[in-house]
C-alpha cells in the first residue's frame, strides 16, 4: 500500500540496484491532475535500473528481496511536488504482488 507519490519539476531521478535486486516501481504520466487510476506498477528485472524524467509521478522503488541497496541520483535542485492519496482521494495505491510458481 502506498500513500504518497511525487514528481520533480527541475530534474529527473535515477534508481539502480547495487546488489542487482529486482523491484517494482509505480509511475504516472506528467500532469498536475494525477489520480490513483493514473498509476501503473512496473516490474524491473534483476540488474536493471530506471531513469525517471522530470514531471513523471513516482514513489521510491519497492525491492522484491528482503534487503536491497539502491544507488540514487537527483539534480542539485530538489524541488518536489507531492500528493497524499489518503488526504486527496481517501484511498491508498495498492499493488497486489502475486507469487509465481
Amino acid at each position: 500500500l502506498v500513500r504518497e507519490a511525487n514528481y520533480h519539476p527541475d530534474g529527473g531521478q535515477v534508481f539502480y540496484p547495487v546488489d542487482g535486486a529486482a523491484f517494482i516501481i509505480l509511475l504516472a504520466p506528467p500532469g498536475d491532475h494525477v489520480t490513483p487510476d493514473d498509476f501503473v506498477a512496473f516490474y524491473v528485472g534483476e540488474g536493471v535500473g530506471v531513469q525517471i524524467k522530470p514531471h513523471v509521478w513516482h514513489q521510491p522503488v519497492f525491492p522484491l528481496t528482503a534487503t536491497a541497496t539502491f544507488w540514487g541520483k537527483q539534480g542539485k535542485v530538489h524541488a518536489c511536488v507531492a500528493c497524499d492519496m489518503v488526504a486527496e482521494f481517501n484511498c491508498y495505491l495498492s499493488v497486489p504482488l502475486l507469487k509465481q510458481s
Side-chain angles (χ1 to χ4, degrees):
L1 296 173
V2 177
R3 181 175 182 140
E4 188 268 344
N6 65 72
Y7 74 81
H8 310 289
D10 300 319
Q13 190 167 4
V14 172
F15 292 102
Y16 184 81
V18 174
D19 51 6
F23 58 94
I24 301 291
I25 188 165
L26 291 170
L27 301 172
D32 286 333
H33 301 288
V34 70
T35 69
D37 291 334
D38 294 326
F39 284 85
V40 176
F42 293 91
Y43 169 83
V44 181
E46 294 179 358
V48 178
V50 295
Q51 177 184 3
I52 302 167
K53 298 288 187 174
H55 298 276
V56 174
W57 287 93
H58 63 282
Q59 222 332 13
V61 299
F62 302 95
L64 297 176
T65 54
T67 61
T69 302
F70 285 84
W71 178 80
K73 179 72 176 167
Q74 288 182 271
K76 290 185 186 219
V77 175
H78 182 70
C80 183
V81 177
C83 178
D84 181 328
M85 296 295 163
V86 175
E88 294 291 327
F89 302 104
N90 197 33
C91 70
Y92 286 87
L93 295 176
S94 174
V95 179
L97 300 178
L98 305 175
K99 191 169 193 164
Q100 295 183 0
S101 53

